Amino acid sequence: MNKKIRIITFFAVLAGLFMSCGVGNNDKIGSNNEIENNENNENNNNLETYKVSLPSTYDHLLEYELASNGVEYTVTSVSSKNILYVNIPSEYNGLPVTSIKSEAFLVCENLVTVSIPDSVKSIGSWAFSGCDSLASIVIPSSVTSIGYLAFYHCNSLTIYCEAENEPAYWNNEWNYLVHNNDNTYDYVPTYWGINENNCGIKDGVYYVVEYGEGIVTGYTFNSLERVEVLNKITLNGRSYNVTNIVSRAFYNCSFLTSITIQISVTSIRDETFYGCSSLISLTIPSSVTKIGECAFENCSSLTSIVIPKSVTSIGYGAFSGCSSLTTITIPDGVTSIGDGTFFRCTSLTSIIIPSSVTSIGYRAFCDCSSLTSIIIPSSVTSIRELAFEGCNSLTIYCEASSQPSGWDSDWNRRYSYDNRYLPVYWAEQWSYVNGVPTPNK
């Protein structure tokens, strides 16, 4: 049984785990954009509790060790790496479970969600490292110690901490995500001071209230298939406008096929839908002006996308690896096509570059092997090297009468290791025949 089948088998069970609601009072919630909840109740925007209660299906796979003091237990490991979710109990054999040992869940690649009880005080080094499918985890305020790289390479993860700030005995590298080539680290997205009044779940989507506004921060488990992002949420009888979807919010949500965005977001942020490999279609709201870096990278099932005219900026690698994308129209107003924007869009057969574009980046259309023709408007004053590398079927038609000085000498080179170049026709060398660019005879 493969990974997707296993997760689907438990999808109905998991979906029912987020239906209870428990909220209280918190005077720290902001008031700008806050609306008293009255007629909005009929919109059913009430959030459920952020605390997940899981069944005991996999409890028998947990392994324990009695502490030397004889009065508490440590979770040491699991007997199967194929575990899908973990409900760590607060007690075992009548004694409290107070710690999770180093490497306890190391490389449990199918693990999608975890419930940690308030009895736990410490989480060891590398405890969840390599749990690539782990989408969310709540760390209770009882946890006073977390070890080195506890969540390293948990690429899909968002962490919700009940503590207001990072406790003194949490290792300063506890939430490192990946070590970069320049010797810096990226961090797992982490939210502090989480409670029943500022965080909740609706239909598998996490919302957090910050500064009196709701934001979409992540998802509960990667078997979500359809998502509707609400424009308002309700917590403790108060409603908040939802104004933002954060970077990486749906990172590697691999079962997601469709998403509806109600809110008036102004940007699709970096890596927001990275790796949503089942996403087929998406309509970007007309309020969006910017598509961030790698926003849709490796959305390999995406066949079409409507970019509204409001968009003026498309970031590095935004549609890289969208191997099913067949056609796309870049709206007027976009001034640059960044490095690797359409890298390995192998099904792309046509694209229209508007006259507002002035620059085309490094390997912007690299390996678009189905692209047969493209027109470069005279507005383009800069093209970086290897912009069309690997586009072996491509013929390029330029509105400029000769190569502008700002175009790299290898802009149309077939491959970096090959001295051949793609065919290019300049302004006087081609014309439209029945609306199709055609070389002059």
Side-chain angles (χ1 to χ4, degrees):
M1 184 179 288
N2 65 33
K3 178 178 176 181
K4 286 195 174 185
I5 293 174
R6 282 197 300 269
I7 295 176
I8 290 173
T9 302
F10 290 92
F11 179 72
V13 175
L14 286 170
L17 301 176
F18 302 93
M19 298 308 294
S20 61
C21 181
V23 296
N25 293 315
N26 188 339
D27 294 334
K28 291 185 178 181
I29 294 177
S31 58
N32 58 309
N33 284 334
E34 183 180 305
I35 307 165
E36 290 303 321
N37 185 31
N38 40 57
E39 72 274 13
N40 290 322
N41 275 333
E42 67 265 25
N43 294 330
N44 195 26
N45 291 346
N46 291 290
L47 301 189
E48 299 110 27
T49 177
Y50 69 93
K51 292 185 176 181
V52 179
S53 179
L54 298 171
S56 58
T57 308
Y58 294 104
D59 282 9
H60 67 286
L61 297 177
L62 293 172
E63 298 180 347
Y64 302 87
E65 179 180 83
L66 183 64
S68 58
N69 60 18
V71 297
E72 57 189 358
Y73 276 96
T74 295
V75 175
T76 58
S77 61
V78 286
S79 59
S80 172
K81 292 291 185 180
N82 291 325
I83 192 168
L84 289 178
Y85 53 86
V86 172
N87 183 53
I88 297 174
S90 59
E91 291 187 354
Y92 179 71
N93 286 343
L95 296 176
V97 175
T98 60
S99 61
I100 300 171
K101 190 177 180 180
S102 297
E103 302 184 8
F105 299 97
L106 181 69
V107 197
C108 287
E109 294 181 336
N110 293 335
L111 184 64
V112 296
T113 189
V114 175
S115 175
I116 300 176
D118 292 339
S119 61
V120 170
K121 299 176 183 178
S122 68
I123 299 173
S125 299
W126 304 86
F128 294 94
S129 179
C131 295
D132 194 50
S133 297
L134 188 60
S136 61
I137 192 168
V138 175
I139 300 179
S141 55
S142 58
V143 175
T144 57
S145 171
I146 299 184
Y148 175 72
L149 300 181
F151 300 96
Y152 195 58
H153 279 296
C154 292
N155 295 308
S156 306
L157 182 61
T158 300
I159 301 173
Y160 301 88
C161 299
E162 292 182 345
E164 292 288 337
N165 301 291
E166 184 171 303
Y169 293 102
W170 290 22
N171 185 280
N172 59 8
E173 298 176 358
W174 72 275
N175 65 338
Y176 276 10
L177 174 62
V178 65
H179 187 191
N180 299 314
N181 292 332
D182 60 358
N183 208 32
T184 61
Y185 283 88
D186 291 335
Y187 294 81
V188 177
T190 303
Y191 293 86
W192 299 95
I194 295 302
N195 56 56
E196 295 286 7
N197 304 301
N198 60 22
C199 180
I201 299 167
K202 184 66 175 178
D203 297 329
V205 177
Y206 267 100
Y207 296 84
V208 170
V209 174
E210 287 188 343
Y211 307 107
E213 297 179 341
I215 59 175
V216 177
T217 58
Y219 57 98
T220 52
F221 46 92
N222 70 354
S223 47
L224 286 177
E225 294 184 0
R226 293 176 179 84
V227 165
E228 180 178 2
V229 176
L230 303 174
N231 60 357
K232 284 184 174 64
I233 54 173
T234 301
L235 278 167
N236 195 28
R238 293 171 172 174
S239 291
Y240 303 89
N241 293 324
V242 180
T243 59
N244 187 16
I245 303 173
V246 304
S247 297
R248 298 174 63 93
F250 295 96
Y251 192 99
N252 274 348
C253 193
S254 58
F255 284 76
L256 186 64
T257 61
S258 66
I259 184 166
T260 301
I261 302 174
Q262 291 185 2
I263 62 178
S264 298
V265 294
T266 58
S267 67
I268 304 296
R269 294 178 177 250
D270 297 351
E271 299 183 332
T272 297
F273 298 101
Y274 181 104
C276 293
S277 55
S278 299
L279 186 63
I280 298 171
S281 63
L282 170 72
T283 300
I284 299 175
S286 59
S287 55
V288 170
T289 60
K290 178 182 178 181
I291 297 175
E293 295 181 2
C294 307
F296 297 95
E297 184 171 350
N298 291 337
C299 290
S300 55
S301 298
L302 190 65
T303 57
S304 64
I305 190 166
V306 177
I307 301 178
K309 294 180 180 179
S310 55
V311 171
T312 58
S313 174
I314 300 175
Y316 162 87
F319 298 97
S320 175
C322 292
S323 56
S324 298
L325 190 65
T326 58
T327 182
I328 191 167
T329 300
I330 300 173
D332 290 330
V334 172
T335 58
S336 66
I337 299 173
D339 295 351
T341 296
F342 298 100
F343 180 73
R344 289 184 180 163
C345 290
T346 54
S347 298
L348 190 66
T349 58
S350 68
I351 188 166
I352 297 174
I353 300 176
S355 58
S356 57
V357 170
T358 60
S359 65
I360 297 174
Y362 172 69
R363 287 180 166 165
F365 295 94
C366 180
D367 288 344
C368 291
S369 54
S370 299
L371 196 61
T372 57
S373 67
I374 194 168
I375 298 171
I376 301 178
S378 57
S379 59
V380 175
T381 57
S382 171
I383 301 182
R384 289 194 60 193
E385 70 273 25
L386 302 173
F388 301 95
E389 183 182 23
C391 298
N392 292 322
S393 302
L394 182 62
T395 299
I396 303 172
Y397 299 91
C398 300
E399 291 182 351
S401 56
S402 61
Q403 181 172 316
S405 59
W407 294 19
D408 188 270
S409 58
D410 287 330
W411 70 275
N412 64 327
R413 192 167 182 164
R414 286 180 183 266
Y415 291 103
S416 58
Y417 55 82
D418 193 334
N419 288 326
R420 293 178 299 168
Y421 292 79
L422 296 169
V424 178
Y425 292 90
W426 302 99
E428 292 79 13
Q429 298 174 329
W430 66 277
S431 57
Y432 287 101
V433 177
N434 297 323
V436 178
T438 306
N440 295 333
K441 294 182 180 179

